[in-house]
Amino acid sequence: MLAPWLLSVGPKLLLWGGLCAVSLAGATLTLNLLQMVLSYARKWRQMRPVPTIGDPYPLVGHALMMKPDARDFFQQIIDCTEEFRHLPLLKLWLGPVPLVALYNAENVEVILNSSKHIEKSYMYKFLEPWLGLGLLTSTGNKWRSRRKMLTPTFHFTILEDYLDVMNEQANILVTKLEKHVNQEAFNCFFYVTLCTLDIICETAMGKNVGAQSNDDSEYVRAVYRMSDSIHQRMKTPWLWLDLIFYMFKNGREHRRSLKIVHDFTNNVITERANEMKRHEEGTCNDKDKDFPPRKSKCRAFLDLLLNVTDDQGNKLSHEDIREEVDTFMFEVFYLVILFLGIIFKIPVTFLNL
């Protein structure tokens, strides 16, 4: 009796089940879209008094106005900065997310002196696949705890020990630049970034990647590709959803580059941790006798992370260490590049006056 009944009613039950599932998914999607629209409307009302650039488009904001090329985009930022310098602050919409640029030091001081406003903006989520929830991207109690643990590793006496590495790599840079003396104009920024990468890798991980001598190494290319894809994604709101982003070539390239970068860092951490363990156990081989095996007396940031502990004496996990090493490299790498970019820009600006 049951079998014939299932044969007659079964298809109808499957149909009704499918319709219910589709209806539930549609209702959930509609609810999420409604919440996004309401949130966007609320932010728009709150930000309405703040001056903005031109007329942003609905939903995508100023994204369509941004130059796709990195060099053109940088120049676009400079032009906008000069044009609106007389304003205390400026509003920019990236998709449904408003960004505020602060000009006056008094306004910046309010934010920087606050211990309450430490929540990271939405844009930081695009760094999380690479940096995890390290000091740059984390917030709340984890940020406070991690900052307290890592503060001693940035003591001036420790940073001074890195000067030997910096001087060594700087000499290589000077040698490369000397080849262009009395020659045609060239783009020195590429040489500077490679030098910066060499310095950061050796001071952060104790690993010389030889970027200046081999700019075609897999790791160097992966870092550049990761940086480009993240910047491009930030400027493109329709690629913010992971499902859509990884459907495109840029997203697939991002995933491949991410694996290369993480594999490199993981291997260095494992290798370094094993060296330290063998050294502590007194079973080090000839290669490890002069631990740490480095030309200078400095200890890499990674060495310090492997020994740092919290108030309860707990050490960082392998994943925690990778987060902080990648974060350290990312932050310093881009700060140095930005600083040098400004230095190179100043003489050109004055020459054009």
Side-chain angles (χ1 to χ4, degrees):
M1 294 292 294
L2 183 60
W5 181 81
L6 285 176
L7 289 175
S8 61
V9 180
K12 296 180 180 179
L13 292 176
L14 289 175
L15 178 61
W16 279 106
L19 290 175
C20 290
V22 171
S23 300
L24 181 61
T28 303
L29 180 61
T30 302
L31 182 61
N32 289 335
L33 289 175
L34 182 60
Q35 290 177 339
M36 289 177 59
V37 171
L38 292 176
S39 175
Y40 176 72
R42 185 178 67 255
K43 292 176 182 177
W44 186 85
R45 287 196 303 270
Q46 292 173 342
M47 302 295 294
R48 190 174 182 179
V50 181
T52 187
I53 302 174
D55 297 318
Y57 296 101
L59 298 181
V60 297
H62 293 89
L64 297 177
M65 304 178 189
M66 294 182 177
K67 303 289 186 182
D69 181 74
R71 183 182 301 178
D72 295 338
F73 178 65
F74 182 68
Q75 186 60 48
Q76 187 179 29
I77 293 177
I78 295 175
D79 295 340
C80 289
T81 302
E82 292 299 326
E83 182 179 354
F84 298 98
R85 185 179 292 276
H86 62 284
L87 298 174
L89 66 167
L90 187 67
K91 174 181 62 185
L92 186 71
W93 285 93
L94 267 183
V97 178
L99 305 177
V100 177
L102 304 177
Y103 285 95
N104 293 346
E106 293 78 9
N107 295 338
V108 177
E109 184 181 13
V110 174
I111 302 297
L112 296 183
N113 284 341
S114 173
S115 59
K116 180 190 299 184
H117 302 291
I118 60 174
E119 292 291 332
K120 303 302 189 294
S121 72
Y122 182 82
M123 298 301 165
Y124 279 74
K125 73 181 292 290
F126 302 121
L127 296 173
E128 290 180 8
W130 184 2
L131 308 182
L133 292 176
L135 196 59
L136 177 65
T137 53
S138 62
T139 187
N141 292 331
K142 181 174 182 178
W143 177 83
R144 293 185 180 91
S145 173
R146 193 66 63 84
R147 183 183 180 186
K148 185 177 181 180
M149 290 177 65
L150 298 180
T151 296
T153 64
F154 293 99
H155 194 276
F156 285 114
T157 56
I158 295 177
L159 298 178
E160 287 174 357
D161 291 339
Y162 294 153
L163 287 176
D164 290 340
V165 174
M166 297 178 185
N167 290 334
E168 179 184 352
Q169 298 301 332
N171 288 333
I172 297 176
L173 173 62
V174 170
T175 302
K176 287 184 169 293
L177 295 179
E178 284 178 342
K179 298 178 182 178
H180 294 275
V181 175
N182 298 325
Q183 303 294 325
E184 295 181 356
F186 69 102
N187 186 359
C188 64
F189 204 68
F190 179 68
Y191 293 98
V192 172
T193 55
L194 292 178
C195 176
T196 304
L197 191 59
D198 270 340
I199 293 174
I200 299 306
C201 284
E202 191 159 354
T203 55
M205 297 187 289
K207 193 79 170 180
N208 188 340
V209 297
Q212 295 190 89
S213 57
N214 181 21
D215 56 20
D216 196 41
S217 72
E218 186 179 47
Y219 178 76
V220 173
R221 284 187 280 111
V223 170
Y224 276 107
R225 288 196 300 265
M226 282 285 296
S227 305
D228 291 341
S229 64
I230 291 174
H231 289 156
Q232 190 63 36
R233 189 182 185 187
M234 286 181 174
K235 297 186 298 182
T236 316
W238 47 92
L239 294 180
W240 286 0
L241 289 176
D242 290 341
L243 180 63
I244 297 177
F245 178 62
Y246 290 114
M247 289 174 58
F248 289 88
K249 180 182 178 181
N250 196 19
R252 295 192 295 269
E253 192 66 41
H254 176 275
R255 181 174 284 164
R256 285 193 293 268
S257 300
L258 180 64
K259 185 178 185 305
I260 293 172
V261 172
H262 278 176
D263 285 348
F264 180 84
T265 308
N266 286 331
N267 291 336
V268 173
I269 294 173
T270 301
E271 177 184 332
R272 200 68 184 156
N274 290 336
E275 288 179 3
M276 293 182 68
K277 185 177 180 180
R278 289 195 298 268
H279 183 77
E280 292 172 356
E281 294 175 350
T283 59
C284 55
N285 52 35
D286 293 338
K287 182 181 178 181
D288 302 326
K289 282 183 179 178
D290 296 326
F291 181 86
R294 210 165 281 114
K295 295 179 182 179
S296 64
K297 63 180 180 179
C298 75
R299 301 183 68 190
F301 180 62
L302 172 58
D303 297 341
L304 303 173
L305 290 178
L306 288 168
N307 290 299
V308 72
T309 58
D310 60 15
D311 294 336
Q312 287 74 39
N314 300 318
K315 289 189 175 183
L316 295 173
S317 66
H318 181 100
E319 184 178 352
D320 292 335
I321 293 174
R322 192 192 71 192
E323 288 177 349
E324 298 306 337
V325 169
D326 287 340
T327 296
F328 177 82
M329 290 187 58
F330 175 84
E331 288 180 326
V332 179
F333 183 60
Y334 280 96
L335 280 175
V336 172
I337 289 177
L338 178 62
F339 178 70
L340 292 176
I342 293 174
I343 290 178
F344 291 144
K345 182 69 178 177
I346 290 174
V348 176
T349 302
F350 278 100
L351 285 173
N352 291 333
L353 292 178

